[in-house]
Amino acid sequence: MDLVSPPSPAPVDDGAADHLPGRAVPRVALASTAGEMIAIDALGTGRTVIYAYPKIGRPGTASPEGWDSIPGARGCTPESCGFRDNYGELLNAGATRVFGLSSQEIDYQQEAVERLQLPFEMLSDPTLKLANDLGLPTFEAGGSTLYKRLTLIVRGGLIEHAFYPVFPPDEHAQQVLGWLRANPE
């Protein structure tokens, strides 16, 4: 008998990202899975998509206790695969770069990039520097502070748009693609 996980509860818009559109990104450099430091404030004039997620699961590793009952926690792998599968279309629609972002350590993310065959870099923010500087929403699970799922469109050092809350995560790349197409530069 196959066990199917119950649907993840949908997150509620608590207003935690309302302050982001129009805000300048801080001078923060984060380690990428390509072995570089990426300066968030120096991404250039094109649109950069940065999708933040709580924690990509690893085969054979249990999720934190209560994970399935936390609104918006589940779905990081399907969300990342959605960005992978729509990567070319996102670039064609005006994104110059796409990054995943979490508080997971870089080696953990590197394994996910390889396993999921992601064509873009992941950024690691284990000290939550970007979250603290921008006031990004987070939550506690399994003794760790994790990013709540949200996506930023950054252009010319400013946050042009913020998607929050993000649900369902497996359809989110299509939502971002639709926004890019509806808002050409």
Side-chain angles (χ1 to χ4, degrees), residues 35-108:
E36 302 173 342
M37 293 301 290
I38 303 295
I40 303 301
D41 64 318
L43 292 170
T45 58
R47 285 181 166 152
T48 298
V49 175
I50 302 173
Y51 72 96
Y53 59 91
K55 180 179 181 72
I56 287 184
R58 247 187 199 165
T61 303
S63 296
E65 187 173 332
W67 189 252
D68 290 347
S69 65
I70 299 170
R74 281 191 25 217
C76 300
T77 298
E79 181 181 27
S80 294
C81 290
F83 278 98
R84 175 199 64 203
D85 297 345
N86 289 282
Y87 181 67
E89 290 183 70
L90 290 162
L91 296 180
N92 288 338
T96 56
R97 294 179 91 173
V98 174
F99 293 104
L101 166 69
S102 82
S103 61
Q104 293 174 286
E105 296 290 341
I106 202 69
D107 61 334
Y108 194 103

Side-chain angles (χ1 to χ4, degrees), residues 4-161:
V4 177
S5 296
S8 178
V12 175
D13 188 349
D14 57 5
D18 290 352
H19 66 287
L20 295 171
R23 187 158 176 191
V25 292
R27 294 184 58 126
V28 172
L30 301 174
S32 83
T33 52
E36 302 173 342
M37 293 301 290
I38 303 295
I40 303 301
D41 64 318
L43 292 170
T45 58
R47 285 181 166 152
T48 298
V49 175
I50 302 173
Y51 72 96
Y53 59 91
K55 180 179 181 72
I56 287 184
R58 247 187 199 165
T61 303
S63 296
E65 187 173 332
W67 189 252
D68 290 347
S69 65
I70 299 170
R74 281 191 25 217
C76 300
T77 298
E79 181 181 27
S80 294
C81 290
F83 278 98
R84 175 199 64 203
D85 297 345
N86 289 282
Y87 181 67
E89 290 183 70
L90 290 162
L91 296 180
N92 288 338
T96 56
R97 294 179 91 173
V98 174
F99 293 104
L101 166 69
S102 82
S103 61
Q104 293 174 286
E105 296 290 341
I106 202 69
D107 61 334
Y108 194 103
Q109 290 181 313
Q110 185 62 48
E111 183 279 333
V113 166
E114 292 168 9
R115 177 172 40 90
L116 301 175
Q117 299 179 351
L118 302 179
F120 49 83
E121 299 167 56
M122 299 293 230
L123 303 175
S124 178
D125 189 11
T127 63
L128 297 165
K129 176 75 172 143
L130 187 63
N132 293 329
D133 286 359
L134 281 175
L136 300 179
T138 61
F139 69 99
E140 301 289 325
S144 298
T145 302
L146 305 170
Y147 276 97
K148 283 189 178 180
R149 192 179 315 280
L150 81 149
T151 297
L152 305 175
I153 307 296
V154 177
R155 181 168 60 164
L158 298 174
I159 298 171
E160 183 178 10
H161 186 76

